[in-house]
Every structure is written in structure tokens, then in C-alpha cells.
Amino acid sequence: MKEQKTIFSGIKPSGDLTIGNYIGAISQWVEMQERSNCIFSIVDYHAITVKQNPDDLRRRVLDITKIYLAAGINPKRSIIFQQSTVPAHTELAWILNCSGAYMADLKKMTQYKDKAGDKEEAISVGLFGYPVLMAADILLYDTQAVPVGDDQKQHVELTRDIAKRFNNEYGPIFTIPEAVVKKEGARVMSLLEPSKKMAKSDGSANAFIALLDDPELAKKKIMKAVTDSGTDIDYDPENRPALANLLTIYAQLGNRQIPRLVRDYAGKGYGDFKKDLGEVVGKFLTEFQTKFNEISDDDAQAVLEEGRKQAQEITEKKMTQIRQAIGVR
Ligand code: AQP
């Protein structure tokens, strides 16, 4: 029998999860857990790279756990845990900061450049170094594959470089992981600025649809979404990125094929299309939230505690190996 792959991925509780997080990441995880050993984290130490309200942060960790469960992640098959409860993550990040991670590489990260903008002087060291913490998250579990949205591919590449440098110096400690990016829906774009990805911390709530948005509000957001010039419905991401994004959302949440949608909307305009898309999104959210509401905070806490124990056991073994290799034990 073929050995199962080890998969690691996570989401930071820096805002309300969007349909972008679902389409680009979580929906892939659900499929993967049937044929892989999966570890899914709520990476709260990544969230604090930008200011968070402590009460909101606490609440979101539980909400994201419930979102994982409502989406179909099975805690009997996969490990679900809160990053900050497993100290090996920050310990390894420090070690990698010293062996493997270079300033020059981190400066090239586009997510950092986007978030830092021209205010680099006032940016926390944590925001600059967060890809190293992400590398630690992945490498601790001998991860082979990291399912992510397109925006995180660069960080997985960096993880590979860090692991290779470390292995060159200390021997074959780390497995070299690969990013797994979905073909369709890898980058869901903002509803207001289709050149920007849909992000949960976007200042404008109309730019994204949160998984816990009221379905009626989500329909209104679809109606307000920007569209390109032209009136017919066709899929042309290059020249009509706003419409291409809406078609992707329709296909992903409505379980449809884009070419089929284009054929079905031949001769119809944006009005009909957006109205139907609103219905598809509304139905998806209603069903998703029904499952979400059936899960209590206590259920979520219990899942996190069980996940913590399992993650703790795996990472302690790995840290023993790493500490010995670098000579601190
Ligand atoms: N718009 C997107 N389309 C497809 N995939 C996406 N992901 C995020 N946005 C999209 C994927 O979701 C996973 C979790 O991401 P994260 O929360 O850890 O970090 P992020 O990529 O920075 O997500 P956000 O929503 O943009 O957060 P903020 O606004 O706080 O920075 C990843 O696999 C990511 O690729």
C-alpha cells in the first residue's frame, strides 16, 4: 500500500474568513484528508504580526475551528490545533532565523511588501519574519505537501530554500515540502478591485464575502461588485478580470463548470447573472452556517485540546532531533 502523504496548512485569525479562504484553501483540505495525514492549524502567532483586539482574536480562534469542522474537516482523521499552544513552532522559528533564513530573501516577499508599503520603518520585526515562522510550522511535521492559495506559493518556496540550507549544514533533518495550488479558484479577487486578492482584513467590507456574512448581505455585496465594460457573459481573465472572478466564485460555490455557465448565460446580461450568483452564494452560506451553528464552543475547545496533544507529541520528537543537531543539547 502506498504511504500516505503528510499535509500541513493553516489560516491566521486576522479577520472573518472569506469565501477566498474557503475556495483557495479549506475546500482543498477537505478533499485531501481522505488520502493523506493532515494537520490543520489556526495560526494565531501569525495573526499578531498586525495589531489584533485580544477578545476578537480569542473569538476568531474558536470560530475558525468551527469553520474547519463545518467545512468537513474530520478531527478523527486530521489534527486541528491552535499554533500558540504548541511551543515548538516559535522555538524552531528562532532556530531558522539563525540558520537558513536570510534578510535578502525575506525582503523579496510580496506579501511583506504589500503590507509594509512605504512605512517600512514602523513595521514590526514579526511581520518581516513571519515567513520563517511559517517555514517552522511546515517543517516540524515532515510535511510533504502544503495546500495553499496562489498568494502563499512564494512562502512555500522560501520554506524549501531554508530547509535545504539547514540540511546542508546539519544533515538531512527536514523533508522538503511542495506547494499544492488549485487550478481554479487559487486566487479569488476583491469584489471592488479585481486586481487585488480578496482578503479578510480588507478595510472595505464590500470587497469580500465572509463565510459568516448574513446571506442577504452577501447578495447585496454581489450586486455592488464592480464589473468590466461590455455586456455579455464570457470568461476572459486578462481583459475582463472582474467578470472572470465572479464566474469563478459561481463555479466553485455552485459546483458548476465555467464553460457551461458561459453557454447558459449567452444572450443574458450582468443583471440576470449577478442575481443568480447572489442566489448561489446565499444558498451556499445558508447551508454552511447551518452546520456551523450546530457546533458549540465547547466542541471546538475539545477538538483543539485533542489536536494540541497530538501536535505536541510529533513536534517534541522533531525538536529533540533538531536541538541535538545544532548542539544546544
Ligand atoms: N483571495 C484568496 N483566494 C484564494 N485563496 C486565498 N487564501 C487567502 N486569500 C485567498 C488562502 O487562504 C489560506 C489562509 O490564508 P491566511 O489567512 O493564513 O493568510 P492570507 O493569505 O494573508 O489571507 P488573507 O485573507 O489575505 O488574510 P489577511 O487579509 O489577514 O492578510 C492560504 O492558503 C491562502 O493562500
Side-chain angles (χ1 to χ4, degrees):
M1 210 172 80
K2 240 174 107 184
E3 216 185 292
Q4 294 208 322
K5 271 196 176 169
T6 300
I7 308 273
F8 180 96
S9 204
I11 296 188
K12 59 181 196 281
S14 48
D16 297 329
L17 294 210
T18 71
I19 55 169
N21 298 124
Y22 178 82
I23 294 171
I26 303 173
S27 64
Q28 259 205 106
W29 303 356
V30 175
E31 288 166 24
M32 286 177 142
Q33 68 175 346
E34 297 310 322
R35 50 194 153 79
S36 318
N37 298 317
C38 293
I39 303 144
F40 299 121
S41 187
I42 294 113
V43 287
D44 46 351
Y45 275 157
H46 287 284
I48 62 162
T49 53
V50 296
K51 229 178 194 31
Q52 302 296 334
N53 172 297
D55 288 332
D56 289 346
L57 185 58
R58 253 185 298 274
R59 177 73 251 154
R60 284 195 205 118
V61 170
L62 284 184
D63 280 352
I64 295 178
T65 309
K66 294 198 223 171
I67 284 174
Y68 287 3
L69 297 171
I73 306 289
N74 177 357
K76 295 204 164 67
R77 269 211 59 81
S78 306
I79 299 176
I80 300 175
F81 78 102
Q82 180 179 354
Q83 181 195 33
S84 65
T85 65
V86 180
H89 288 252
T90 42
E91 184 179 353
L92 180 57
W94 177 254
I95 294 171
L96 298 178
N97 273 329
C98 303
S99 297
Y102 293 159
M103 299 276 289
D105 290 340
L106 291 174
K107 278 190 179 161
K108 285 187 210 143
M109 296 297 115
T110 49
Q111 275 227 355
Y112 167 73
K113 287 198 269 187
D114 288 351
K115 285 216 160 77
D118 52 9
K119 301 190 282 297
E120 202 180 29
E121 299 308 312
I123 289 296
S124 74
V125 175
L127 182 63
F128 180 67
Y130 114 77
V132 185
L133 179 58
M134 180 167 161
D137 299 337
I138 296 167
L139 297 175
L140 271 172
Y141 297 88
D142 292 323
T143 301
Q144 287 151 301
V146 189
V148 283
D150 194 45
D151 59 317
Q152 292 287 344
K153 235 166 76 182
Q154 199 187 22
H155 291 157
V156 180
E157 282 302 318
L158 177 73
T159 301
R160 289 166 60 85
D161 291 342
I162 292 175
K164 285 179 195 163
R165 284 185 201 131
F166 190 95
N167 284 356
N168 277 340
E169 193 162 350
Y170 297 108
I173 305 278
F174 294 129
T175 300
I176 311 297
E178 269 176 43
V180 183
V181 181
K182 258 176 113 166
K183 280 199 190 75
E184 210 174 80
R187 191 179 287 247
V188 178
M189 309 311 275
S190 154
L191 297 179
L192 300 182
E193 282 176 80
S195 58
K196 238 174 70 177
K197 77 160 187 158
M198 182 180 283
K200 60 176 122 59
S201 58
D202 197 308
S204 170
N206 283 335
F208 61 83
I209 293 174
L211 287 168
L212 302 182
D213 267 351
D214 178 332
E216 290 308 314
L217 174 69
K219 287 181 195 171
K220 288 192 187 123
K221 289 186 184 183
I222 296 281
M223 295 314 282
K224 284 187 189 145
V226 297
T227 42
D228 319 277
S229 54
T231 50
D232 50 331
I233 305 299
D234 65 356
Y235 184 70
D236 181 358
E238 195 96 321
N239 299 309
R240 301 179 73 191
L243 178 58
N245 188 40
L246 296 180
L247 276 163
T248 301
I249 295 172
Y250 199 141
Q252 291 289 316
L253 298 187
N255 219 354
R256 302 279 303 271
Q257 301 291 328
I258 290 179
R260 183 69 208 265
L261 283 173
V262 170
R263 277 204 302 279
D264 287 355
Y265 282 94
K268 295 184 185 165
Y270 279 137
D272 287 335
F273 174 75
K274 278 182 157 182
K275 198 164 161 290
D276 293 351
L277 173 58
E279 292 304 320
V280 165
V281 172
K283 180 168 179 285
F284 170 82
L285 293 181
T286 303
E287 288 171 6
F288 187 85
Q289 291 168 16
T290 302
K291 291 187 206 139
F292 177 93
N293 290 328
E294 281 165 5
I295 305 160
S296 70
D297 285 358
D298 287 348
D299 293 341
Q301 289 284 15
V303 165
L304 288 179
E305 177 51 18
E306 182 51 34
R308 183 195 66 75
K309 284 188 202 145
Q310 294 178 55
Q312 177 74 19
E313 200 181 315
I314 299 170
T315 57
E316 246 331 289
K317 278 199 195 117
K318 194 75 197 168
M319 282 313 300
T320 301
Q321 206 188 348
I322 296 165
R323 291 183 200 117
Q324 274 170 1
I326 65 168
V328 295
R329 291 292 189 282

